[in-house]
């Protein structure tokens, strides 16, 4: 079985445009390039995507998506096939470059490979981190696939983009059971016990776990939380974290500098690189996976 009902994403991927910049990285880069939420050619579409996301991503919605997708019964394919399938997604979020999504996957992986040549699992994470976006090829709306993630079932914190104006129609924001600091959770319960807004991060994490892939825990954290910008870039939701989360956040931050800053117009030779990365796939997540 293969992914069916292919559709084209009609708007930008907010997770790739207007990104927060980490203070420790790219100091020579103008921060306004990454945090301009007030102007730009994509701002209306970016805002509308987040408006839909922040209106519809409720605790009940997230539970529904876990039920629909965590059983991995939608498709069967190899990992490299999923990487290349991303080229079917239309990403209008990047005003500077225009090339298939798979190139970003290989650029991220190669950036990691240069700085971490002995961590092959880290390189593989760079390659596959966005392939959960294949949900869009089965008809999931963009706001349930891309963009920054955040916990549901507790207060929506200020580090979430467009926090002040996009949650007004989300019923959980007005529910006293959910709108306190911890909501349904206990302090320091650990992110493993927190339900995140549904998107490609959580989906790919579930696929990796379902198929018993052997990527180390650090890599699984990168996959699961690389879009959780309110946490790893703004310091929100620390009251929900346990010791494991705090030990993993440096790994997530290390990954994100490659995710953000490896996109260039110098495109990698995918044909040349494929054999190496296929060997990593064969090592950590071999064969046909269930999605």
């Amino acid at each position: 079985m293969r992914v069916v009902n292919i559709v084209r994403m009609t708007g930008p991927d907010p997770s790739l445009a207007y990104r927060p910049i980490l203070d420790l990285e790219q100091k020579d880069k103008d921060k306004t390039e990454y945090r301009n939420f007030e102007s730009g050619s994509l701002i209306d579409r970016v805002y509308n995507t987040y408006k839909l996301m922040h209106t519809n991503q409720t605790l009940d919605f997230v539970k529904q998506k876990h039920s629909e997708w965590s059983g991995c019964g939608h498709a069967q394919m190899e990992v490299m096939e999923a990487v290349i399938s991303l080229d079917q997604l239309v990403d209008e979020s990047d005003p500077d470059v225009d090339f298939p999504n798979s190139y970003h996957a290989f650029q991220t992986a190669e950036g990691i490979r240069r700085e971490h040549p002995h961590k092959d699992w880290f390189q593989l994470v760079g390659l596959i981190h966005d392939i959960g976006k294949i949900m869009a090829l089965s008809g999931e709306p963009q706001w349930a696939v891309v963009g920054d993630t955040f916990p549901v079932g507790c207060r929506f914190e200020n580090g979430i983009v467009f926090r002040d104006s996009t949650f007004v129609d989300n019923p959980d924001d007005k529910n006293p059971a959910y709108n306190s600091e911890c909501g349904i959770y206990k302090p320091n319960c650990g992110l493993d016990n927190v339900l995140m807004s549904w998107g490609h991060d959580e989906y790919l994490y579930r696929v990796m776990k379902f198929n018993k892939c052997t990527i180390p825990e650090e890599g699984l954290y990168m996959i699961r939380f690389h879009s959780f910008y309110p946490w790893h870039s703004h310091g929100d939701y620390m009251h929900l974290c346990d010791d494991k989360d705090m030990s993993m956040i440096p790994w997530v931050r290390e990954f994100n500098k490659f995710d953000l800053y490896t996109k260039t117009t110098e495109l990698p030779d995918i044909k040349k690189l494929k054999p190496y990365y296929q060997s990593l796939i064969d090592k950590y997540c071999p064969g046909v996976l269930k999605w």
Side-chain angles (χ1 to χ4, degrees):
M1 182 171 67
R2 292 290 185 265
V3 172
V4 295
N5 297 327
I6 293 176
V7 296
R8 293 173 69 84
M9 300 177 76
T10 57
D13 176 348
S15 68
L16 300 180
Y18 310 102
R19 269 299 192 191
I21 187 170
L22 300 182
D23 288 339
L24 298 179
E25 304 300 335
Q26 298 290 312
K27 292 181 179 179
D28 60 336
K29 206 174 185 73
D30 185 350
K31 292 184 180 182
T32 61
E33 294 180 38
Y34 293 91
R35 292 299 292 174
N36 181 3
F37 288 99
E38 298 178 357
S39 62
S41 61
L42 299 175
I43 189 61
D44 288 342
R45 288 177 294 177
V46 171
Y47 182 86
N48 289 336
T49 298
Y50 274 113
K51 173 67 173 175
L52 288 168
M53 180 194 302
H54 294 167
T55 297
N56 293 292
Q57 290 266 9
T58 64
L59 180 62
D60 287 343
F61 174 83
V62 169
K63 289 179 177 179
Q64 174 190 339
K65 290 303 167 185
H66 273 276
S67 177
E68 292 177 10
W69 288 96
S70 295
C72 297
H74 289 261
Q76 296 184 37
M77 69 176 76
E78 296 180 356
V79 168
M80 188 62 77
E81 183 181 355
V83 172
I84 301 304
S85 76
L86 291 182
D87 291 348
Q88 300 173 65
L89 303 183
V90 176
D91 181 358
E92 301 173 352
S93 65
D94 197 324
D96 300 315
V97 292
D98 182 18
F99 48 78
N101 280 261
S102 64
Y103 283 98
H104 169 60
F106 281 96
Q107 285 177 331
T108 304
E110 283 293 280
I112 294 169
R113 186 181 179 185
R114 284 190 293 271
E115 290 200 28
H116 298 277
H118 304 299
K119 291 183 174 66
D120 59 355
W121 58 267
F122 192 0
Q123 301 160 25
L124 179 61
V125 169
L127 182 76
I128 70 173
H129 70 281
D130 273 345
I131 61 176
K133 292 180 182 180
I134 64 171
M135 286 190 294
L137 302 181
S138 290
E140 279 294 334
Q142 186 179 351
W143 54 263
V145 176
V146 303
D148 292 3
T149 58
F150 51 90
V152 294
C154 62
R155 179 186 300 157
F156 303 123
E157 298 287 354
N158 291 332
I160 302 173
V161 295
F162 300 121
R163 169 63 183 95
D164 291 341
S165 60
T166 53
F167 284 93
V168 292
D169 295 320
N170 187 313
D172 289 3
D173 196 34
K174 304 174 183 66
N175 189 330
Y178 303 150
N179 64 11
S180 63
E181 183 178 53
C182 289
I184 64 173
Y185 309 110
K186 295 181 179 180
N188 305 117
C189 62
L191 295 181
D192 278 338
N193 298 304
V194 173
L195 284 171
M196 301 295 297
S197 57
W198 185 254
H200 68 282
D201 301 43
E202 185 69 22
Y203 174 51
L204 181 59
Y205 170 78
R206 295 289 170 178
V207 170
M208 294 292 104
K209 297 291 284 187
F210 185 90
N211 288 280
K212 296 180 172 57
C213 299
T214 57
I215 292 172
E217 190 69 15
E218 293 88 347
L220 293 177
Y221 255 70
M222 295 171 187
I223 288 170
R224 194 178 193 184
F225 298 116
H226 70 272
S227 298
F228 189 10
Y229 274 81
W231 174 56
H232 62 66
S233 286
H234 294 282
D236 286 344
Y237 299 103
M238 293 297 178
H239 56 281
L240 298 179
C241 295
D242 59 13
D243 290 342
K244 178 183 177 182
D245 301 321
M246 299 311 296
S247 70
M248 290 294 174
I249 196 170
W251 285 103
V252 179
R253 287 171 172 164
E254 177 67 7
F255 167 79
N256 266 79
K257 73 179 185 182
F258 298 102
D259 186 18
L260 290 172
Y261 309 124
T262 54
K263 288 184 293 182
T264 70
T265 55
E266 184 178 345
L267 301 183
D269 186 340
I270 291 181
K271 184 177 180 180
K272 181 179 179 181
L273 295 174
K274 259 188 177 182
Y276 173 73
Y277 286 101
Q278 185 61 55
S279 73
L280 303 189
I281 292 170
D282 293 341
K283 179 177 179 180
Y284 291 103
C285 38
V288 176
L289 305 187
K290 294 182 178 180
W291 298 79

